[in-house]
Amino acid sequence: QLQLQESGPGLVKPSETLSLTCSVSGGSISTSSFYWGWIRQPPGKGLEWIGSMSYRGSSYYTPSLKSRVTIAVDTSKNEFSLRLSSATVADTAVYYCARVYSSGWFSDFWGQGTLVTVSS
Amino acid sequence: SYVLTQPPSVSVAPGKTARITCGGDNIGGKTVHWYQQKPGQAPVLVIYYSNDRPSGIPERFSASNSANTAALTINSVEAADEADYYCQVWVSTTDHVVFGGGTKLTVL
């Protein structure tokens, strides 16, 4: 059974870069049918898609975050990462990593989520 | 930008049918996916490709999609179905995923 696990700092200072890693187990990240994505959820609010990347490096980002977001895939470690620059309080959220089926763009496996708070 | 509109809340008695709508411009021309999220948990895919169910999702869950409205229908609602539900589409004009705002289903 595929499992995804987010890791990274739970507290980030404003203007700094938020960085998270998603470790994938129970399956290979180097699969052509899937992308690897990040979704976030501010406390008490709805889901917001951040972006996704394939193991070959093809990527898609939500327009409102595109200028600040970088997603990278490391096939040697079977993991992928998220970097969000110039963090603000508005970036405080639970961040989920997920497997995204590229023929339809739905997420069928999700990590448990990790809360990142942006605060000084 | 493409917007998906869901009612904030829907209430239903146990054993009845719940219908959660998702409105969007010509959403009938898109493929809609639905997720269930219980408090403190990650979302779970319940419907994909507009009306397919992943393994383990009861047949009570079904969906439809036409014109400007997609809908998730839950028959014979159980207490365990109480959760937030989100619709999702892929916007091909700008190559990104959009989620609806979510609907809280309350089982009375």
Side-chain angles (χ1 to χ4, degrees):
Chain A
Q1 177 81 337
L2 191 74
Q3 291 187 325
L4 294 86
Q5 178 68 57
E6 305 90 349
S7 61
L11 181 64
V12 174
K13 288 183 168 54
S15 80
E16 295 188 344
T17 295
L18 182 159
S19 296
L20 295 173
T21 298
C22 182
S23 299
V24 180
S25 59
S28 174
I29 204 169
S30 302
T31 308
S32 58
S33 300
F34 301 103
Y35 276 58
W36 304 92
W38 292 93
I39 301 100
R40 70 180 183 179
Q41 184 171 36
K45 297 188 178 180
L47 301 172
E48 180 182 27
W49 191 75
I50 299 171
S52 62
M53 175 172 276
S54 72
Y55 81 99
R56 291 194 175 104
S58 176
S59 62
Y60 299 100
Y61 300 111
T62 198
S64 62
L65 296 173
K66 188 173 184 177
S67 64
R68 297 195 292 130
V69 172
T70 301
I71 296 175
V73 173
D74 188 335
T75 56
S76 66
K77 295 181 179 180
N78 220 43
E79 65 184 29
F80 60 105
S81 62
L82 169 72
R83 289 172 58 86
L84 180 65
S85 63
S86 305
T88 71
V89 173
D91 295 316
T92 294
V94 174
Y95 285 76
Y96 295 99
C97 61
R99 187 177 80 168
V100 182
Y101 191 52
S102 60
S103 181
W105 300 100
F106 58 86
S107 299
D108 57 352
F109 284 94
W110 295 63
Q112 65 185 26
T114 187
L115 174 63
V116 179
T117 301
V118 180
S119 174
S120 55
Chain B
S1 61
Y2 193 80
V3 176
L4 294 175
T5 302
Q6 297 183 237
S9 63
V10 168
S11 299
V12 63
K16 300 298 185 182
T17 297
R19 185 173 185 266
I20 298 170
T21 59
C22 175
D25 184 34
N26 192 29
I27 195 174
K30 300 182 181 302
T31 299
V32 183
H33 314 296
W34 291 89
Y35 301 86
Q36 175 194 70
Q37 185 181 34
K38 296 183 178 180
Q41 298 183 18
V44 172
L45 181 70
V46 293
I47 293 286
Y48 63 102
Y49 291 147
S50 294
N51 199 21
D52 285 346
R53 284 174 289 103
S55 60
I57 301 301
E59 291 182 6
R60 302 184 294 104
F61 288 78
S62 64
S64 62
N65 186 19
S66 177
N68 295 314
T69 303
L72 174 70
T73 299
I74 309 172
N75 293 317
S76 303
V77 167
E78 302 174 356
D81 299 330
E82 189 164 280
D84 294 327
Y85 290 86
Y86 294 89
C87 57
Q88 179 235 297
V89 300
W90 172 260
V91 181
S92 57
T93 51
T94 45
D95 286 337
H96 72 287
V97 165
V98 172
F99 287 100
T103 298
K104 180 176 180 58
L105 177 67
T106 300
V107 181
L108 300 171

